[in-house]
Amino acid sequence: MVKFLYEDPNFNLYCKTIFHEKSTKSVSGRDKWNYPDVVGVHFPFDENYSEETLRLLKNTNQFIFKLYAFEIKVRINWGNLKESYFQAVSNSSFANERYLVVYEDFEDDILQELMRLQQSFGIGVIKLEKNSIESRVLLPSKHRELDIQTIDMLVGKNPNFRDFINTINEDLEIGKRHKITKAKYDRIEEM
């Protein structure tokens, strides 16, 4: 999935897997559905841009990035559709764009229900294929503003998410670095 999200020109994301097992423990059920499986960031610049171009982006406030959240499921059926969908709604509230990612094929009537839910809640759907080139967006996510309060809560509770936000902050400091720190994001596996 990380390869698809990096190579697809509609995304071009740097991703990080979030392990909910590493989160701070609290009262049972309190943090249920707080963490997506994968988060991603899209930078509005290419790492090969010149210093002058990067400074221009910064000085003209064109330096807007986007955060993404992905909930991954092997299969969706009538028995788990609503739970899977609302898990994606719950654990991705902080992000600009949010997706439910499904690996196995599902029935057309389930797609119709996902379309209805997408109209109300804005969660997009991605059909993941073994070959990342064949993966595709079935339903686009609706763009929304960042939820800073939730980002702050997640930073305080999950070290993977804290590292992800710290890496983004480092990569956005244009004057100090001109290359995206790819090593701090999930590695892109070659097929």
Side-chain angles (χ1 to χ4, degrees):
M1 185 177 101
V2 171
K3 181 177 172 71
F4 165 68
L5 295 171
Y6 178 76
E7 291 178 347
D8 187 289
N10 296 311
F11 289 105
N12 196 317
L13 303 184
Y14 293 89
C15 294
K16 181 90 173 154
T17 302
I18 303 299
F19 296 98
H20 63 88
E21 302 84 4
K22 294 185 178 187
S23 300
T24 305
K25 303 297 179 212
S26 64
V27 177
S28 180
R30 181 176 184 174
D31 293 325
K32 186 176 181 178
W33 297 354
N34 269 358
Y35 312 99
D37 294 315
V38 173
V39 291
V41 60
H42 171 77
F43 295 108
F45 57 88
D46 183 284
E47 66 182 31
N48 298 316
Y49 281 4
S50 69
E51 179 181 346
E52 293 79 9
T53 303
L54 291 172
R55 281 187 21 234
L56 179 66
L57 283 171
K58 183 177 181 181
N59 292 334
T60 58
N61 292 323
Q62 299 294 314
F63 208 61
I64 299 168
F65 65 96
K66 285 171 55 174
L67 292 182
Y68 291 75
F70 302 91
E71 180 62 31
I72 304 169
K73 299 295 181 191
V74 172
R75 74 188 54 83
I76 296 286
N77 55 44
W78 287 111
N80 71 356
L81 172 66
K82 298 262 174 91
E83 180 177 357
S84 297
Y85 191 87
F86 287 105
Q87 182 178 7
V89 169
S90 177
N91 69 22
S92 64
S93 66
F94 67 89
N96 297 117
E97 292 196 22
R98 308 155 313 144
Y99 286 89
L100 176 61
V101 180
V102 184
Y103 181 69
E104 291 183 0
D105 290 331
F106 49 84
E107 302 167 15
D108 286 341
D109 56 342
I110 289 179
L111 180 59
Q112 293 301 315
E113 180 64 8
L114 288 168
M115 290 170 75
R116 186 188 71 75
L117 291 168
Q118 187 259 6
Q119 288 299 311
S120 296
F121 301 99
I123 301 292
V125 177
I126 294 174
K127 176 63 175 79
L128 189 63
E129 300 292 343
K130 198 176 279 190
N131 179 346
S132 67
I133 295 170
E134 297 172 10
S135 296
R136 65 197 179 283
V137 175
L138 299 178
L139 300 171
S141 172
K142 291 183 179 176
H143 181 81
R144 46 182 280 139
E145 296 301 315
L146 292 178
D147 177 350
I148 301 300
Q149 188 174 3
T150 300
I151 289 172
D152 190 56
M153 182 267 299
L154 295 173
V155 163
K157 291 187 174 196
N158 186 284
N160 297 131
F161 194 82
R162 181 181 325 107
D163 290 347
F164 176 68
I165 297 301
N166 280 334
T167 302
I168 292 170
N169 284 324
E170 290 171 9
D171 288 340
L172 290 173
E173 292 176 359
I174 291 202
K176 297 179 183 177
R177 177 185 287 114
H178 302 295
K179 299 277 187 196
I180 295 171
T181 52
K182 291 181 180 181
K184 292 189 178 184
Y185 298 102
D186 285 356
R187 198 168 136 231
I188 311 291
E189 298 292 336
E190 293 300 322
M191 299 300 271

